[in-house]
Amino acid sequence: MARHGLDAVLTRVAGIVGSPHVVVDPEVTRPYTVDWTGRFHGTTPAVIRPGSVEELAEVVRVCAEARVAIVPQGGNTGLVGGGVPLEGELVLSTRRLTALGEVDEIAGQVTAGAGVAISALQERARAAGLEYPVDLAARDSATVGGTIATNAGGLHVIRWGGTRAQLRGIEAVLADGSVVRHLGGLPKDNTGLDLAGLLCGSEGTLGVVTAARLALVPRLPERVVTLVGFEDLRAAVAVVARVRRGLSCLNAAEVFFADGLALVCEVEGLREPFGRSWPVYVLLEASDHDDPTERMSSALAAAGVTGDVAVGTDARTRAELWAYRERHTSAINTLGPPHKLDLSLPLPMLPDFIARLPEVVARHAPSARTWLFGHIGDGNLHVNITGTAPDDEEVDDIIFRMVASCGGSISAEHGIGTAKKRWLHLNRSAAEVRAFRRIKRALDPVGILNPNVLLPPE
């Protein structure tokens, strides 16, 4: 669009949201144009910050009429470039949509605006004696809208499921500026298509989520975190499987490795948890109404654990143990923009895949380093490659093809974004991709909503 045409659009938009919320200063807009990893960069003529669903709908309507593309953006904690204005699109920020309703304690639900931080949602739920079960390390900046757009998984999937499992209703603005609102929260509502389920995971390509009705779970006040050292991953996978069968109150099962732990301790100034280094570390968390510490101990003993074990039962020690796992991402980022590949593999194949991976990467990129951690309970492995150029995708290609050959997924919880769209065919058939395109064209015929993510070029 010509500059004068864009200026006219921005003038109209300023009349809707107010001039202070049409940000054009490059110094202010710059943080909106790069993803959290620092690998994906874009540009934008303006960041638009509507304060209500009505304002956002009017903005989308103006952009649709003028055929101006927009990128919806929440907390900008994405890791695959899905919220970056890659081709100079306007950024439509949902950060001001922070309305957070009172908890419906009878239904165990709450309605939250797209701009509500996950940590704020968790605090509101806890004050009512409940929990919002989706949790992730970026909880203080990740937003409700962003986690719905990517169907975020997080730390507690093995017990409560991911974001889609918590959705009981949605409010969203479609590409023509119309508003769909279905926030009743009925557990049983069989009146046609599930728009909430369709929009969840669509990465802002079908509509802009403005609010959601979310299910909460009981707050279980007694909690224990256990860190266990293992000599090899195969033994760790087997132990986690046995513990899951014997411990119904297990919330999380996380894995990381000696090199990653050493980096975290170096960067964060932490002391290593044991007197010796173990090749593999597994962190387990359980919660219940009664203290689960003895049950955790019994489950580990029954599973044949013989390595070092550290136990945290109070808030301070639990946080200290979690820090070894949750600070991996920030520690790795100190080495430069990493290639972050969140993969999902069948659990029986996980040990062999991890054993082969560093050698395969080193063969094709001798200067690269491989850093691994993830959710061992559900087979979600976070592969981080440092020491390669941000735009060098040769190693990504090799790893994605390895994953697909094992029957795994190239994206477990981060989405496709721009980082993985050229490999979508590895997990989705041509017929499925055509169906995706038809849905996109039906809901966004002009193609203004996040046009450069998820779907590869035709």
Side-chain angles (χ1 to χ4, degrees), residues 55-117:
E55 289 183 0
L56 192 147
E58 284 296 320
V59 169
V60 172
R61 190 172 295 115
V62 168
C63 291
E65 291 172 359
R67 298 187 174 230
V68 172
I70 55 180
V71 172
Q73 189 182 102
N76 199 20
T77 59
L79 302 173
V80 292
V84 176
L86 299 165
E87 300 293 338
E89 302 92 338
L90 294 178
V91 173
L92 186 59
S93 173
T94 61
R95 293 186 192 180
R96 294 179 64 213
L97 303 180
T98 55
L100 183 54
E102 294 301 318
V103 172
D104 182 339
E105 297 183 32
I106 295 176
Q109 298 177 358
V110 68
T111 299
V116 173

Side-chain angles (χ1 to χ4, degrees), residues 352-406:
D352 287 341
F353 180 88
I354 289 177
R356 292 166 48 210
L357 186 61
E359 180 184 346
V360 169
V361 171
R363 189 184 313 138
H364 292 273
S367 63
R369 289 203 63 179
T370 304
W371 309 89
L372 305 172
F373 60 91
H375 314 296
I376 193 172
D378 54 34
N380 178 190
L381 181 67
H382 292 293
V383 178
N384 297 257
I385 309 296
T386 60
T388 60
D391 59 351
D392 181 359
E393 296 183 327
E394 180 181 0
V395 171
D396 303 45
D397 182 71
I398 292 165
I399 294 173
F400 287 146
R401 294 181 186 279
M402 282 179 61
V403 169
S405 71
C406 295

Side-chain angles (χ1 to χ4, degrees), residues 40-63:
F40 298 102
H41 296 257
T43 60
T44 185
V47 175
I48 315 300
R49 304 186 301 196
S52 68
V53 62
E54 292 80 12
E55 289 183 0
L56 192 147
E58 284 296 320
V59 169
V60 172
R61 190 172 295 115
V62 168
C63 291

Side-chain angles (χ1 to χ4, degrees), residues 187-209:
K188 287 187 174 181
D189 183 357
N190 204 14
T191 53
L193 299 179
D194 180 9
L195 283 179
L198 179 64
L199 292 172
C200 184
S202 66
E203 303 188 37
T205 61
L206 304 180
V208 183
V209 174

Side-chain angles (χ1 to χ4, degrees), residues 34-39 76-79 84 138 141 329-330 333 340:
V34 59
D35 80 320
W36 194 90
T37 68
R39 183 182 171 198
N76 199 20
T77 59
L79 302 173
V84 176
S141 49
T329 298
S330 56
N333 259 41
K340 300 188 73 68

Side-chain angles (χ1 to χ4, degrees), residues 103 118-132 134-135 139 156 216-217 219 223:
V103 172
I118 296 301
S119 59
L121 175 58
Q122 291 170 337
E123 289 173 11
R124 176 62 57 89
R126 287 168 189 156
L130 297 164
E131 291 271 9
Y132 181 60
V134 176
D135 192 25
R139 61 186 68 85
H156 297 152
L216 306 176
V217 300
R219 178 154 174 71
R223 193 174 300 259

